[in-house]
Amino acid sequence: MKTVRTVADLRHELAGRTDIGLVPTMGFLHDGHLSLIRRAREDCETVVVSLFVNPKQFGKGEDLDAYPRDEERDARLAEECGADILFAPGLDEVYPDGFSTSVEVGGLTDVLCGSARPGHFAGVTTVVTKLFNMVRPDVAYFGQKDAQQAAVVRRMVADLAVPVEIRVCPTVRDEDGLALSSRNAYLSREERAQALQLPRALQARDRSVLNGIEVDYFEEADFEPRVLAAAVRVGGTRLIDNVVLEGEDR
Ligand code: AMP
């Protein structure tokens, strides 16, 4: 696996390659990310993993500076899962001086995480569009864990006729049921125990399971598939999760 940091080097590495799968990440890779990389490895001839902690998708006062980073470990794990290229651009490569464009999806982004985190999804769709134009993948992989993000990216790709296929992969969980997230690294032992209320409440379809933690939302949403999605705050950490309701009675 090669690590590249510029579009010029990326183009050089990708020259003559076909059937490119892209797995966009913010790093601090866990089994959720790795499941996407493995899936891309099964499906595609060329696998690119991008690693970029995107400041535009963090709000003021959110955890941009604290966001966990370990590129060396990420590179090792991505390589073990069969990635060909780790694309880890610097801030200036993605947002050079004078950068003034935003890609924004309406409607879908007004609810759930969109209303709780103004500007978040515009940050996501802007960077995802840029990554798509940099890598020019045939297929891009996203996790069902971030159901609204997947729906917003699908909408953007359909609306703008972006020539990429979006594949969404199932949520990977720890043995105790907690969905894997880079942000789980923030949780103390006690907080982690509390955080387990989130998957339990979703599994039970019962908001009242959430006890003594701050609930941002606990709502159904038709993101194709329909999901029950929730966001909670445990200590200073915001966690999201969802279960697919497909086939259940409304
Ligand atoms: P992130 O690094 O948090 O931006 O996540 C990068 C990609 O990995 C996104 O498409 C996420 O939806 C996906 N992802 C994160 N956590 C999980 C998980 N537990 N299971 C499956 N996919 C995940």
Side-chain angles (χ1 to χ4, degrees):
M1 189 188 74
K2 259 218 152 128
T3 297
V4 298
R5 300 187 189 280
T6 66
V7 178
D9 287 348
L10 182 64
R11 287 280 149 75
H12 180 76
E13 287 303 321
L14 289 177
R17 300 249 205 174
T18 52
D19 191 16
I20 298 168
L22 170 66
V23 181
T25 82
M26 298 205 300
F28 215 64
L29 302 183
H30 51 64
D31 271 330
H33 300 112
L34 302 187
S35 72
L36 304 183
I37 301 172
R38 291 193 188 105
R39 174 73 194 281
R41 181 69 286 161
E42 282 170 22
D43 295 353
C44 303
E45 268 169 43
T46 307
V47 176
V48 179
V49 175
S50 67
L51 168 49
F52 181 66
V53 181
N54 174 33
K56 285 198 194 292
Q57 71 188 72
F58 289 79
K60 277 208 179 77
E62 289 188 358
D63 57 339
L64 173 61
D65 293 335
Y67 200 81
R69 294 162 216 245
D70 189 342
E71 186 184 311
E72 216 174 290
R73 180 171 168 276
D74 289 345
R76 186 161 42 77
L77 292 172
E79 182 164 32
E80 281 170 13
C81 293
D84 299 301
I85 295 171
L86 182 69
F87 178 47
L91 202 53
D92 291 348
E93 190 70 7
V94 181
Y95 301 124
D97 267 357
F99 188 96
S100 335
T101 300
S102 176
V103 177
E104 211 167 332
V105 172
L108 265 180
T109 58
D110 294 340
V111 298
L112 307 186
C113 285
S115 50
R117 304 180 70 190
H120 167 68
F121 284 118
V124 169
T125 39
T126 300
V127 82
V128 166
T129 300
K130 180 120 195 194
L131 288 168
F132 285 173
N133 286 328
M134 289 167 132
V135 178
R136 299 194 284 206
D138 298 281
V139 190
Y141 294 84
F142 291 85
Q144 178 63 23
K145 152 90 171 25
D146 299 276
Q148 190 174 13
Q149 169 172 280
V152 168
V153 169
R154 274 195 201 284
R155 183 81 253 164
M156 184 269 288
V157 162
D159 288 356
L160 301 181
V162 181
V164 64
E165 185 191 324
I166 303 300
R167 290 188 192 150
V168 179
C169 303
T171 301
V172 177
R173 298 175 181 282
D174 246 326
E175 275 170 25
D176 58 10
L178 190 67
L180 296 181
S181 164
S182 305
R183 289 193 166 97
N184 293 351
Y186 298 143
L187 300 172
S188 68
R189 234 157 56 101
E190 293 74 23
E191 287 169 342
R192 202 194 145 89
Q194 277 195 310
L196 290 179
Q197 290 175 18
L198 176 57
R200 285 176 188 155
L202 288 167
Q203 213 52 53
R205 318 285 192 260
D206 181 1
R207 181 187 178 123
S208 71
V209 172
L210 300 173
N211 234 305
I213 55 178
E214 196 186 316
V215 182
D216 200 346
Y217 60 78
F218 189 88
E219 273 176 53
E220 288 189 27
D222 198 0
F223 290 145
E224 292 175 46
R226 191 166 185 82
V227 296
L228 175 61
V232 300
R233 227 168 261 280
V234 182
T237 305
R238 187 172 184 278
L239 299 172
I240 61 170
D241 195 357
N242 66 87
V243 287
V244 174
L245 298 177
E246 199 96 315
E248 291 186 15
D249 289 340
R250 296 230 175 134

